[in-house]
Amino acid sequence: KAGVTQTPRYLIKTRGQQVTLSCSPISGHRSVSWYQQTPGQGLQFLFEYFSETQRNKGNFPGRFSGRQFSNSRSEMNVSTLELGDSALYLCASTGVGDTEAFFGQGTRLTVV
Amino acid sequence: EDQVTQSPEALRLQEGESSSLNCSYTVSGLRGLFWYRQDPGKGPEFLFTLYSAGEEKEKERLKATLTKKESFLHITAPKPEDSATYLCAEKGSSASKIIFGSGTRLSIRP
C-alpha cells in the first residue's frame, strides 16, 4: 500500500512569510505526527493529531500550528518565518492499535 | 522528561567488521522501543519495534535487543550499503508522542 506522502518536497521562503506543508497518511491510519529535524537538534516533536483533534504538542512557539481533516490528511503551518525555521519537516502516521510510526520523505524548507 | 541517548555519535567500520550501537532510555511504562534507519535527505525508515526486556528481532544483517534500560542494534558483517544514520526512539505509556535519540552515523568502508 502507498506510504506517507508529503508535499512539496522542497520550499524556499523569505523571512516573514508563512508556509503550509501537507501530509497524506497511509490509508487507514488516523494518527499523524509532525517533527522538525535540524543538524543541531535532531528530530523534535511538533504535534500529533488523531481524528481531527490535537492530542499532543511539543515545545514550539505558537507560530507553528497544524490541523487534520476528516480524511486524516494533515497540514502544518508556520507563520512569520525565521531563518532558524530552515529544517527538514517530517510527517509520520500510525495505525489504530499500532505503536510504531511510518514517515514520509519530508519537506525541506529553506528560509532566506 | 523522558530521554533517549545514543552512542557512539559516529562509527566507521570496515566492510565485514561487526559492531553494536547503543541506546539508553529513561521512560517508565515502555510501550515501544523503535529503531529506524535514515539516509541523507530522506525520512526515517522503520526497522524494528521491541516491547519488553529480553525481546530480540532480526532483519538481514541487523539484530535489535532490549533490556530494562537499554537497547542494542547489532550489525553483523556490514556492507557499504548499510551506511546510514540509525535512530532509536521510545514511546511511553503516558504520552502518545515518540521521543528520538540523536542517532548514530554509521559508515562502512569497502
Side-chain angles (χ1 to χ4, degrees), chain B residues 2 6 11-12 15 20 23-24 35-36 43 60 66 77 85-86 101:
Chain B
D2 295 337
Q6 291 188 248
L11 182 62
R12 289 171 60 91
E15 183 173 1
S20 296
C23 169
S24 59
W35 284 97
Y36 289 84
E60 296 180 357
L66 184 67
T85 294
Y86 289 85

Side-chain angles (χ1 to χ4, degrees), chain B residues 37-73:
Chain B
R37 169 194 170 127
Q38 187 174 26
D39 292 300
K42 296 192 174 181
E45 174 192 346
F46 171 75
L47 292 172
F48 305 109
T49 305
L50 301 167
Y51 295 100
S52 55
E55 190 176 0
E56 298 183 352
K57 287 193 176 171
E58 284 189 69
K59 181 180 179 180
E60 296 180 357
R61 294 175 292 283
L62 299 175
K63 182 168 83 171
T65 61
L66 184 67
T67 70
K68 284 198 172 176
K69 286 300 175 190
E70 287 182 306
S71 179
F72 297 91
L73 185 65

